[in-house]
Amino acid sequence: MPPEVDKAKAFLEKLLSNPMLQGYTPLQREEQILQLFSTQASQLAPILTSKEFFPGKSWTTLLPLLIQALFELTDRDLWATWKPFLDSGLSLSFLPFLTKQAIPESELRAQIATLLKDILQSPEGRRVATGPLTAIQQGGCFKYIDEVFERRSYIHFEITKVQRLRMSKEEIKGILTMTLLLKSSYILFISEGMHTYTDRIAGVIQGSFGEKVIRSLQKRIPLLPLPLWESAIHSNMSFQENRFLEATARLASIFASRYRTFRAGQKVDRGADTPDKSWFNVARKNYKFYGFDIKMLDELYMIAAEMGW
Amino acid sequence: MKRSFWENLVVGGIILVLLQTVVDDVATLADWPWNMRKILLYLGFLFDLFFTVEFLVRLYLSYVEGQAKEYFFRGFGWIDLLASIPLVLFSSGPVVYGLLAGGVPVFGLGRSLNLLKTVKIVRVARILRVLRMLKVVKQLKQTDSVMAQRHIGKIASSVLTTCILVFSVGSFLIQSVPEHSFEQMYWSSIESACQTLGSAPSAELPTEVKRIASVLPSLLKVKAEGKDLYLRHDSFYLVSRFGPYDYFYEQRGSVELYFDYRPLNRFQAEQSLLIFAIVLGTLLVLLFSYAPHFAVTVTDPLFVMLKGFKEPSYNLEVKIPSHLKNDEVFRLAEQYNEEYLPLKQRNLSTGEMEVSDIKWEAVSELFKKG
């Protein structure tokens, strides 16, 4: 390994251990560092390219080296958590409810792991995967499923009656996890100049593009039942444009967005509302922009308000 | 910010001098032995001297820095002045001077209304020490908000100053209404006894003394032509319990009379403790009831909004209590919640705002450490 890579990693390790990044997942920390490189480039560049740090390097040659080193460090931390989860922690108990076909679980798990690795190959893939993966890793969204099943209101009706997922809440949590896990896989079909198919700002994709992605992904991993692919890819579509999106897709869309900036153990200042309640209320104002289901947001907001989340 | 040793010393001194004032009043009410009360008087004088020196030093230093006006009007310099020099001149100073000058207090030299007024001034002046509590309030960090600190300080200083001024002026005004004044009633009974005994024929004097002593508990001792005619307490009790300003002496012809002044001292100590309790109670209410209320209704929502404006990733809403939603602050907070935060969230998504929670200061520290 070239010495400057080691040096870059040592520098990045120090940055990653910054107390301000506590409570973030590896991908969130990575995003924070990338933002730092972007916002503080004018200050960082002269220092890092000086003879004390990386002599002979220009910022344009140093930045890719730093980013690559950052990705490697993130992957190291990320896979330390995700490998055991994908190998055994990920519950697939919902599969018999979706297909009568016997599915070899270990093979499926390996295929999902490979897919996730592929997604995380590109910077854009890492960016879009941050929210859904953080939602799974932090696990905060599952407590809402418990409450949804307790209250048996709009979301429960949409899941059990409209989407017809007649199974226990644990299986629903499994489907939601899988939806979130596969949500970013559309990125594998986006190449340079294909932004007409997606709205990068709001994070939504066009319906026709989504259907093509579903067909392609089903070919890639046929072991996974079609409803799961639909739920995963539809979670990137706007509910304002398609009122028939699966309830799990709409939920995944909301939670992926919520957890993109989620920070575990965030201090609630005196006079401020709780993080989830604040986020859901802001999302209610922006629901059209992000293509969220406003009724779901209303219910989640009520849950957060009542539970003090 | 960490307080300096000097500031801690001053705060400690303020608390001790307030304790000394209260204990002094309690000692008067509970009729503590004179030796103990004498120590308290000396202590009071030392504290007053310490604060006088502190005031003069602070005034000088602020003058040197060209901040004398700022210190006097905004830095509680006026409190330092009121609670130092007048006390040394009119309260503890004369008392200690009297004690050092052979146990004869300055105000115990003769009987007149002036004596009463002088003692009153001494007692009332001691109340000025309570003003120092304002400085302790200033030191108490009941909230992180500078605005709240200043606001509570302003209210506390207004209330305390009003209380003390009303008490001081009121005490003199009440005294000027003889029919309703305990002091005037006390005094007229003494005057009556003096007139009766001063004009009584020698043969009837012992009988008159006995009669008056039975109805006037303040009469301590009567001497006629150098001989003791009446003694309410034995000498040991008098020496151990009575200080120079616990009695006064009056001569009418050949008759010498000694009267117990402690009932008046106790009356004034009661008043002093009452005003102290009022001031302390007011301060406690301000600190533990009003200050949190002010924080909840003003500074906390402002703090959240300010943080939201300054920090791009901060997205917590202001909590709006339903019963306060029409307050201007919470109407502003509603705008912040309903308009600003959603707009900020959209700007974050569009990349118009780039966010990193890592501050540049933290990064530059890394470079310093190598």
Side-chain angles (χ1 to χ4, degrees), chain A residues 11 14 18 20 24 32 35 38-39 43 53 201 263 269-273 275 278 281 285-286 289-290, chain B residues 300 304 307 314-319 338 342 345-346 349-350 354-358 360 362 366-367 370:
Chain A
F11 168 67
K14 284 182 186 171
N18 187 298
M20 295 300 289
Y24 282 141
Q32 289 285 330
Q35 294 282 13
S38 172
T39 54
Q43 286 167 293
F53 293 96
I201 293 166
R263 185 175 193 168
D269 295 301
R270 232 173 38 190
D273 255 328
S278 294
N281 202 28
K285 310 290 179 311
N286 285 334
F289 182 81
Y290 293 105
Chain B
D300 286 352
V304 173
K307 199 169 174 185
Y314 189 81
N315 61 358
L316 297 188
E317 290 193 317
V318 177
K319 193 190 281 180
E338 304 292 315
Q345 182 62 39
R346 291 200 296 273
S349 302
T350 57
E354 288 189 310
V355 183
S356 178
D357 287 338
I358 309 174
W360 171 249
L366 286 182
F367 295 128

Side-chain angles (χ1 to χ4, degrees), chain B residues 88-101:
Chain B
V88 171
L89 290 179
F90 301 114
S91 179
S92 56
V95 169
V96 169
Y97 175 77
L99 292 176
L100 293 174

Side-chain angles (χ1 to χ4, degrees), chain A residues 120-173:
Chain A
L120 297 174
Q121 283 297 315
S122 69
E124 188 65 8
R126 299 173 87 88
R127 195 184 72 82
V128 295
T130 301
L133 295 188
T134 303
I136 299 168
Q137 198 169 341
Q138 299 287 9
C141 51
F142 304 122
K143 64 187 178 188
Y144 283 92
I145 299 298
D146 291 333
E147 282 301 313
V148 160
F149 272 73
E150 193 74 28
R151 288 158 201 256
R152 295 174 168 271
S153 191
Y154 172 73
I155 299 176
H156 183 265
F157 181 83
E158 289 291 306
I159 291 172
T160 57
K161 298 290 191 293
V162 180
Q163 198 176 347
R164 298 183 180 210
L165 295 177
R166 294 196 177 92
M167 52 189 86
S168 77
K169 63 182 178 185
E170 294 311 317
E171 270 79 50
I172 297 296
K173 286 178 190 174

Side-chain angles (χ1 to χ4, degrees), chain B residues 82-215:
Chain B
L82 279 177
S84 59
I85 295 174
L87 289 166
V88 171
L89 290 179
F90 301 114
S91 179
S92 56
V95 169
V96 169
Y97 175 77
L99 292 176
L100 293 174
V104 184
V106 178
F107 44 82
L109 292 173
R111 180 183 72 89
S112 69
L113 267 178
N114 285 338
L115 164 67
L116 200 63
K117 282 178 181 168
T118 313
V119 174
K120 174 71 93 181
I121 287 168
V122 168
R123 281 277 170 191
V124 170
R126 287 164 71 254
I127 297 299
L128 292 174
R129 287 176 180 161
V130 179
L131 274 176
R132 292 198 171 276
M133 282 177 100
L134 284 177
K135 295 193 75 173
V136 181
V137 172
K138 190 188 167 194
Q139 301 281 341
L140 285 175
K141 290 276 175 197
Q142 77 273 26
T143 163
D144 291 333
S145 161
V146 179
M147 179 184 171
Q149 290 277 6
R150 195 175 55 244
H151 184 80
I152 305 299
K154 181 73 183 171
I155 292 185
S157 63
S158 305
V159 171
L160 256 71
T161 312
T162 308
C163 274
I164 289 164
L165 285 178
V166 166
F167 173 76
S168 311
V169 174
S171 299
F172 286 110
L173 288 178
I174 289 167
Q175 187 194 314
S176 67
V177 185
E179 296 80 29
H180 299 291
S181 164
F182 169 77
E183 291 157 354
Q184 289 291 351
M185 284 165 66
Y186 170 88
W187 196 251
S188 61
S189 65
I190 300 292
E191 182 61 34
S192 166
C194 287
Q195 278 182 5
T196 307
L197 294 177
S199 59
S202 304
E204 291 174 21
L205 196 59
T207 319
E208 278 298 302
V209 166
K210 268 190 178 174
R211 186 183 63 79
I212 289 174
S214 66
V215 293

Side-chain angles (χ1 to χ4, degrees), chain B residues 316-354:
Chain B
L316 297 188
E317 290 193 317
V318 177
K319 193 190 281 180
I320 302 178
S322 56
H323 65 291
L324 299 172
K325 65 181 180 189
N326 291 325
D327 284 13
E328 285 80 353
V329 170
F330 288 108
R331 275 157 56 192
L332 177 68
E334 194 180 359
Q335 289 292 309
Y336 169 85
N337 288 351
E338 304 292 315
E339 303 292 336
Y340 177 73
L341 282 182
L343 183 67
K344 182 171 148 179
Q345 182 62 39
R346 291 200 296 273
N347 283 345
L348 280 172
S349 302
T350 57
E352 283 178 28
M353 289 168 82
E354 288 189 310

